[in-house]
Structure formats: C-alpha cells, structure tokens
Amino acid sequence: MNTLHVGIIMDGNGRWAEARGLNRVAGHSRGARRVSDIVSAAPGLGITHLTLYAFSTENWQRPLAEVNGLMRLFRNYILGRMESLRAHDVRVRFIGMRHRVPVHLRQLMEMLEERTRNCRGLNLTIALDYGGRDELSRAVRGLAERVAEGALAPEAIGEEALASALDTRDLPDPDFIIRTSGECRVSNFLLWQATYAEYEFLKIAWPDFTAETLAGSVKGYHRRQRRFGQIGGAAPAARAVAEN
Ligand code: IPE
Ligand code: IPE
Ligand code: MG
C-alpha cells in the first residue's frame, strides 16, 4: 500500500492571539480546535500518516502560565477526543520524551495509545516534548548501551539500526512537511527522518489553517517531482543506454 506521511509544524498561535488582543493561551486553544478538523480531513486526502508537532523540547522555556495552559489543552484534547479517535479508527502514537510531562497527562497519553493500538485507519503521531536532537541522542545512547553489553557489534550500526532506535521506528519517513506562521525553519522537527521530505512554508497562522488549506497543500505536493538525489524522468539505466 502506498503511504503518504504529512508532518505539520503548527506554528503561529501566539501571534494570532496577540493580533486580536487575546492572551497566547487563547491562541493555543483556537489552534487545538483546528487539530480535530485536520485529523478528520486527512484520510480523505490520501494521508495515511499525520505527524503533528505540538510541543518542542525548547518550549519548556516559555512562561509557566503558557506551558501550563498548553498542558491543560493537551489533557482536554485527549479526554475529549479519545472515543471519537477510536471510533474513527485512528491509531495514535506520541513521540518525544515523557518523563517531564505532568504525570496525569502522561497517563492519558499512554491510555490513548493503548486504546487505539488496534486501529488501522489514519496513523496520527503527536510530537510532544519532542526534539530531533534529543531523539537522536537517546537513540545513540540506546545503541551504545547495547554495544557495551556485548549485544550489538559496532559494525552493525548503520542507517537502518539508527532509524530503528528512533521514536519513529514504526513510521515511514515524512513525505511532506508543512509549517504555518511564515517562519521558514524546522525548529528541531524530525531532523533525521525529513532528509528527503518536501517542505511548504505558509504565511497563515495555525488557527487559520483549515481542511481546505490542507487539501490545497496536498494537491501542490502531488505536483512536485521528488528525485532523491537521482535525475528524475526516465530510469537512469535506460537513459544511460539511450545516450551511448
Ligand atoms: C505554536 O504557536 C504552538 C507551540 C509552539 C506550542 P506559537 O506559540 O509558537 O505561536 P507564535 O509562533 O509565538 O506566534
Ligand atoms: C515549533 O514552533 C514548535 C511547535 C510548533 C510545537 P516554535 O514557535 O517553538 O519555533 P521557533 O521558536 O519559532 O523556532
Ligand atoms: Mg512559534
């Protein structure tokens, strides 16, 4: 089966709120509402895997009131959507560290993963307390520990072994990454996995991102030619023969 993995850096909630005289958490709250629309629309657009960047390893450095507001929104999202996600056959996974997340939220994350474990529709991954550098460091540490135990030979460490030590071990690489808010940077999202991902940077803020926006972006993605370091068009071997 063909997979289509879309990643979204859901950025711009704070500025969206500030532009309307609201506090930043109100912007996150509007942003959280968008998540449900996008999750519902994704399968109809051929998306098999959707990975949403919800909270980075650096986002803990924001003011406590904002961090607490976000944790409360994550909790409300899980509580409010648990049954509906399962009913819609959505399998949910979380990537990132977990030990810094408040214990009540961590328990809900585990419950949601457990309850949707057998779902076979959309694969929804939520990156929470996630950073690509942290994920890579943890993966490398895990491999080093296995080498130290004598369970793994250093020569066996290659791209495949490293990829299988990442939080995303069960997921295909992202094909297409969208970032809202006008910033053109990756901010520590899927650093290893996005090696050949297509990117789109949109000016609109996340609370203004709709199912129609996603449909337009996916349409644009399908018009792109991915080359993976090759030359595109006819198969390289055939071309070589034709030119000789
Ligand atoms: C993205 O919106 C949500 C998180 C990072 C949690 P921001 O809060 O970063 O919004 P801006 O970029 O400040 O507008
Ligand atoms: C990236 O947005 C993280 C999430 C969307 C969760 P940030 O707002 O944290 O990124 P920077 O600070 O602008 O790079
Ligand atoms: Mg931001």
Side-chain angles (χ1 to χ4, degrees):
M1 189 188 112
N2 279 343
T3 57
L4 176 58
H5 184 176
V6 175
I8 308 185
I9 303 175
M10 308 183 290
D11 195 22
N13 296 344
R15 279 166 285 169
W16 183 92
E18 282 158 10
R20 287 160 182 77
L22 303 168
N23 68 41
R24 295 179 56 89
V25 177
H28 295 311
S29 173
R30 289 297 285 260
R33 283 194 228 161
R34 285 296 171 210
V35 171
S36 303
D37 301 347
I38 298 312
V39 169
S40 306
L45 298 171
I47 297 171
T48 56
H49 295 74
L50 178 67
T51 298
L52 302 177
Y53 200 6
F55 194 85
S56 75
T57 47
E58 289 73 41
N59 287 152
W60 293 108
Q61 293 156 39
R62 293 187 179 202
L64 191 61
E66 181 170 351
V67 170
N68 288 342
L70 280 160
M71 295 299 143
R72 194 180 65 242
L73 286 169
F74 297 147
R75 184 163 174 260
N76 291 346
Y77 176 80
I78 298 178
L79 281 170
R81 309 305 300 181
M82 179 117 48
E83 285 319 311
S84 139
L85 287 164
R86 191 157 73 145
H88 287 92
D89 213 19
V90 178
R91 170 145 191 203
V92 186
R93 295 175 177 87
F94 288 90
I95 54 171
M97 274 186 272
R98 295 200 184 193
H99 67 278
R100 303 197 285 187
V101 171
V103 64
H104 56 83
L105 174 58
R106 191 160 68 231
Q107 285 164 351
L108 283 173
M109 287 159 64
E110 282 160 10
M111 192 188 291
L112 181 57
E113 286 181 323
E114 193 47 48
R115 291 256 185 112
T116 61
R117 190 170 299 282
N118 297 320
C119 293
R120 291 291 171 264
L122 179 70
N123 285 281
L124 172 65
T125 303
I126 302 174
L128 204 165
D129 196 8
Y130 175 86
R133 285 188 169 184
D134 167 69
E135 181 191 35
L136 280 161
S137 318
R138 283 187 285 111
V140 169
R141 197 182 316 132
L143 294 172
E145 280 164 5
R146 288 178 53 210
V147 169
E149 286 162 6
L152 182 71
E155 311 81 72
I157 299 179
E159 293 187 15
E160 219 172 289
L162 187 42
S164 345
L166 296 172
D167 297 348
T168 52
R169 63 183 72 83
D170 297 324
L171 305 172
D173 283 344
D175 298 294
F176 183 37
I177 295 182
I178 303 168
R179 180 174 187 148
T180 56
S181 93
E183 307 301 348
C184 301
R185 52 180 175 253
V186 297
S187 302
N188 214 357
F189 187 51
L190 301 178
L191 297 181
W192 168 277
Q193 300 87 339
T195 299
Y196 273 104
E198 297 290 325
Y199 280 93
E200 182 174 35
F201 297 99
L202 296 173
K203 287 221 158 54
I204 59 165
W206 174 250
D208 293 328
F209 187 93
T210 63
E212 288 72 47
T213 322
L214 180 62
S217 291
V218 168
K219 211 167 157 191
Y221 162 79
H222 284 300
R223 282 197 294 267
R224 297 187 187 192
Q225 190 197 31
R226 299 177 73 187
R227 291 197 282 275
F228 300 96
Q230 298 163 36
I231 55 175
R239 189 176 289 226
V241 169
E243 280 168 6
N244 281 335

